[in-house]
Amino acid sequence: MHVYLPIAEISISVEAILCLGLCVGFLSGFFGVGGGFLTTPFLMFMGVPPAIAVGTQTSQLVASSVTGVLGHWKNKNVDVKIALVMLAGGLVGSVFGVFIFKILQALGQIDVAIRILYVVLLGSIGSLMLFETSMSLWGRRGGAADAQKADKVSMVEKMRANIREWPYKIRFPESKLYISAFVPVGIGFIGGVLASILGIGGGFLLVPAMIYFMGMPATLVAGTCLFQIIFTTGFASIMHAVTNQTVDVVLASLLILGGVVGAQIGVRASRNVSGVWARIILAAIILLVSIVLAVQLLMPPKELFSMEVR
Amino acid sequence: MRLLVCKIAFVLLLCGVPFAGANAQRIAAANDGLTLALADKHVDITTNFSGRNVVVFGVNETGGALVVTLTGPAAYTLMRKKGQALGIWVNAKTYGFKDVPLYYDYALNGDERDLGSMDLLRADGIGVNAMQYVVRGRVPSAQARPFHEALIRQKQQAKHYAYDAQSIELIGGKLFKVNFELPADVPTGEYVVKAMVYDGNVKIAERREYLQIRQAGFSARLYSYATNHSFFYGVGVVIFAVFMGYAANVILARR
């Protein structure tokens, strides 16, 4: 069955979109990541213009973040104060990102820019994750790995000590932190830029940043990050709707619907798989997507010309 | 000398007037002999739209050769060509073409297609290969040529331009019928259906009708709201997403 997307002004297969939502929902339920990094490239692959894919994806992220955060909220695993400070950076980042998006669109390089950013981000995160998890899986017995780990810990400690010296400190009682406001604002800013340019929540980047740079307690990180993502992506969504008119509510509904069902299946499936293996599979998927995108950038394209109607 | 020029001009004028008059009369008469009608004045695109047929009817009593075209609204269209920069394929060169029809399809009488009258049609801008666009900026036409060809090729691949002329169905000699098939992603806007009759090398009659292709119903309301009240539309989408996310959580928690 086909449905006509009123904003994209194209007709698209309902089954394909539901299936994509299902797969992404499965990943988010299984690994606890947003999965936006898969939706945008696949929507583009299915013929949805990049601008519509990114704009619409931001509103889908609002729904999946709300679903995700409610559980954390019930368990009181959300540090609202840090989230609000991060949000300040996130909103500025969103405005900045939408602005950059518009410039790249005018230059006609938006598709290339999105691809390059994806390759760099997914490639580095994927290989880091794969390296770390495989080290913890196979290197547990080795003394060398232990020494390496100690090295790394001291490095992180040094960095955190350095960050503790930064000015404009704020106390965050929930996380028992007393750090410079620049850190959460900066991390939020990056999240906002990623949300509006790439249509991703950026959880896979924000979560490690919050752990390493801020030293936030691990139990609070996921909930706080998701809470903040709701507002950043919601804001980015409104910005895209106003400045670019690229948010398609019909497409968003289909993605959300598939995502809800997929998340349920994912959560159930994850109970049967150990955490380390889940991380390795996720890292492999992330790397695969980045390799496919990199090949598209480096190989001579079949069609040299592209058309844009203004 | 000046007198001579004036005399010649006067004679030429005298000779020319009756010819021009006769031609105009002939065209007027031929125009009366050509009628054109659309089965529907508009095509409504609703949420389940998956393409439609547009049927054009008419009567051609002039005896001349008939051509029917369907032309979509025109738009400024950019063609970009990829090139390698630091090993990465980026959009390197761009040409803008003015007033490119978003859609084009045409039909010829079965016999005409064999008559070798294609040159004439080409001169009149009929047929995909005859389309001439104005390139923005001062660009030598040789440089813009590959971009122009790529534009037509891609429009044809998207089924927005015809590869070849369709045949006009003749019913009992004078009544004609053309069936244009619109794809699911047909661009919206005002389309022009033109019927033209050629006699020898001259166009003797022309009739046109307008066809509105537009979103209708739910889909149209969404589109107009998203363009006219984009802020409230954006807020609405976000509220809807929050609600969907909340509902999903409630359903998940219940199970």
Side-chain angles (χ1 to χ4, degrees), chain B residues 130-210:
Chain B
M131 286 188 171
Q132 294 298 331
Y133 310 123
V134 181
V135 184
R136 201 166 94 170
R138 287 205 191 103
V139 181
S141 63
Q143 268 179 41
R145 192 82 212 155
F147 288 76
H148 178 196
E149 283 165 6
L151 192 158
I152 288 175
R153 188 175 68 238
Q154 291 195 0
K155 291 267 190 199
Q156 284 176 329
Q157 280 163 0
K159 296 198 172 131
H160 287 183
Y161 279 9
Y163 278 101
D164 214 342
Q166 302 198 42
S167 335
I168 296 173
E169 198 181 322
L170 288 173
I171 307 160
K174 284 176 181 168
L175 189 65
F176 66 88
K177 180 185 156 193
V178 182
N179 192 1
F180 290 116
E181 278 176 44
L182 302 177
D185 61 343
V186 63
T188 53
E190 190 179 60
Y191 284 59
V192 188
V193 180
K194 262 199 265 182
M196 287 156 282
V197 177
Y198 286 85
D199 190 8
N201 283 334
V202 198
K203 180 157 78 177
I204 56 164
E206 180 181 319
R207 290 273 175 193
R208 53 178 74 191
E209 283 288 332
Y210 295 91

Side-chain angles (χ1 to χ4, degrees), chain B residues 54-246:
Chain B
V54 170
V55 182
V56 178
F57 286 106
V59 181
N60 176 18
E61 291 173 316
T62 62
L66 186 65
V67 178
V68 181
T69 61
L70 171 68
T71 314
Y76 181 57
T77 304
L78 295 171
M79 285 307 290
R80 300 202 165 91
K81 190 184 179 189
K82 286 202 165 62
Q84 242 175 339
L86 301 168
I88 296 172
W89 288 88
V90 298
N91 292 322
K93 209 163 199 182
T94 306
Y95 285 133
F97 293 88
K98 287 178 189 165
D99 297 329
V100 177
L102 292 176
Y103 193 88
Y104 189 81
D105 200 353
Y106 67 119
L108 301 176
N109 205 330
D111 305 332
E112 296 315 312
R113 297 169 71 179
D114 307 327
L115 277 179
S117 56
M118 292 308 276
D119 283 342
L120 170 67
L121 298 183
R122 200 162 285 169
D124 249 5
I126 293 165
V128 170
N129 295 323
M131 286 188 171
Q132 294 298 331
Y133 310 123
V134 181
V135 184
R136 201 166 94 170
R138 287 205 191 103
V139 181
S141 63
Q143 268 179 41
R145 192 82 212 155
F147 288 76
H148 178 196
E149 283 165 6
L151 192 158
I152 288 175
R153 188 175 68 238
Q154 291 195 0
K155 291 267 190 199
Q156 284 176 329
Q157 280 163 0
K159 296 198 172 131
H160 287 183
Y161 279 9
Y163 278 101
D164 214 342
Q166 302 198 42
S167 335
I168 296 173
E169 198 181 322
L170 288 173
I171 307 160
K174 284 176 181 168
L175 189 65
F176 66 88
K177 180 185 156 193
V178 182
N179 192 1
F180 290 116
E181 278 176 44
L182 302 177
D185 61 343
V186 63
T188 53
E190 190 179 60
Y191 284 59
V192 188
V193 180
K194 262 199 265 182
M196 287 156 282
V197 177
Y198 286 85
D199 190 8
N201 283 334
V202 198
K203 180 157 78 177
I204 56 164
E206 180 181 319
R207 290 273 175 193
R208 53 178 74 191
E209 283 288 332
Y210 295 91
L211 172 72
Q212 296 291 337
I213 298 185
R214 61 197 180 188
Q215 294 198 37
F218 177 68
S219 166
R221 256 172 282 151
L222 270 181
Y223 181 84
S224 82
Y225 199 74
T227 30
N228 299 328
H229 309 275
S230 55
F231 176 73
F232 294 106
Y233 171 80
V235 172
V237 172
V238 171
I239 292 172
F240 171 73
V242 169
F243 172 76
M244 290 281 277
Y246 179 75

Side-chain angles (χ1 to χ4, degrees), chain A:
Chain A
M1 196 176 85
H2 273 67
V3 69
Y4 190 83
L5 302 178
I7 309 299
E9 295 194 89
I10 53 168
S11 177
I12 205 157
S13 155
V14 175
E15 293 88 349
I17 297 290
L18 282 178
C19 194
L20 177 60
L22 206 76
C23 294
V24 172
F26 178 85
L27 288 178
S28 66
F30 195 93
F31 301 112
V33 296
F37 66 91
L38 282 179
T39 319
T40 311
F42 271 92
L43 283 177
M44 291 188 328
F45 183 69
M46 284 163 73
V48 176
I52 302 267
V54 169
T56 304
Q57 175 55 18
T58 51
S59 62
Q60 192 266 327
L61 285 167
V62 174
S64 66
S65 311
V66 168
T67 313
V69 89
L70 286 169
H72 293 287
W73 188 266
K74 270 179 208 147
N75 300 330
K76 297 207 167 60
N77 285 339
V78 179
D79 187 334
V80 177
K81 197 173 174 187
I82 285 196
L84 289 180
V85 176
M86 280 175 74
L87 187 59
L91 297 187
V92 178
S94 295
V95 175
F96 185 68
V98 170
F99 184 65
I100 300 258
F101 192 93
K102 255 203 125 102
I103 291 177
L104 286 170
Q105 219 177 4
L107 290 176
Q109 302 291 1
I110 188 69
D111 48 338
V112 178
I114 288 177
R115 285 218 167 85
I116 293 175
L117 269 172
Y118 264 114
V119 170
V120 171
L121 267 181
L122 297 181
S124 48
I125 297 284
S127 20
L128 264 176
M129 265 176 79
L130 197 65
F131 179 73
E132 237 190 18
T133 39
S134 41
M135 283 304 273
S136 70
L137 193 64
W138 288 292
R140 240 176 260 156
R141 291 147 264 166
D146 274 350
Q148 221 174 28
K149 206 174 177 184
D151 245 29
K152 207 171 131 194
V153 167
S154 73
M155 223 172 77
V156 170
E157 277 308 316
K158 251 185 227 162
M159 188 181 60
R160 268 192 215 152
N162 192 4
I163 287 172
R164 267 197 287 274
E165 302 297 310
W166 291 8
Y168 300 106
K169 285 189 171 182
I170 302 184
R171 212 171 283 283
F172 298 103
E174 199 103 22
S175 303
K176 300 191 180 68
L177 284 175
Y178 182 56
I179 48 166
S180 164
F182 284 130
V183 186
V185 167
I187 294 174
F189 180 83
I190 292 166
V193 173
L194 291 181
S196 46
I197 296 185
L198 298 183
I200 58 176
F204 65 91
L205 196 75
L206 298 189
V207 166
M210 286 158 85
I211 294 174
Y212 289 127
F213 295 123
M214 289 206 260
M216 243 183 114
T219 45
L220 292 178
V221 168
T224 308
C225 184
L226 277 174
F227 185 74
Q228 188 267 142
I229 285 175
I230 297 174
F231 296 96
T232 318
T233 51
F235 184 70
S237 190
I238 295 170
M239 286 284 292
H240 274 300
V242 173
T243 59
N244 306 321
Q245 263 125 41
T246 47
V247 180
D248 197 303
V249 69
V250 175
L251 181 60
S253 318
L254 289 173
L255 285 172
I256 292 171
L257 213 66
V260 167
V261 180
Q264 281 205 52
I265 304 170
V267 166
R268 271 166 214 195
S270 70
R271 288 177 195 149
N272 306 321
V273 180
S274 83
V276 179
W277 279 107
R279 280 176 67 80
I280 287 182
I281 299 168
L282 178 61
I285 294 174
I286 290 178
L287 269 182
L288 200 73
V289 173
S290 75
I291 289 168
V292 169
L293 287 171
V295 167
Q296 284 180 349
L297 279 173
L298 296 172
M299 293 282 281
K302 263 187 214 144
E303 175 64 272
L304 279 176
F305 293 92
S306 60
M307 191 181 358
E308 191 203 333
V309 177
R310 285 245 170 109

Side-chain angles (χ1 to χ4, degrees), chain B residues 1-11:
Chain B
M1 184 66 192
R2 197 183 283 169
L3 201 69
L4 186 68
V5 172
C6 279
K7 269 185 185 166
I8 292 172
F10 183 68
V11 170

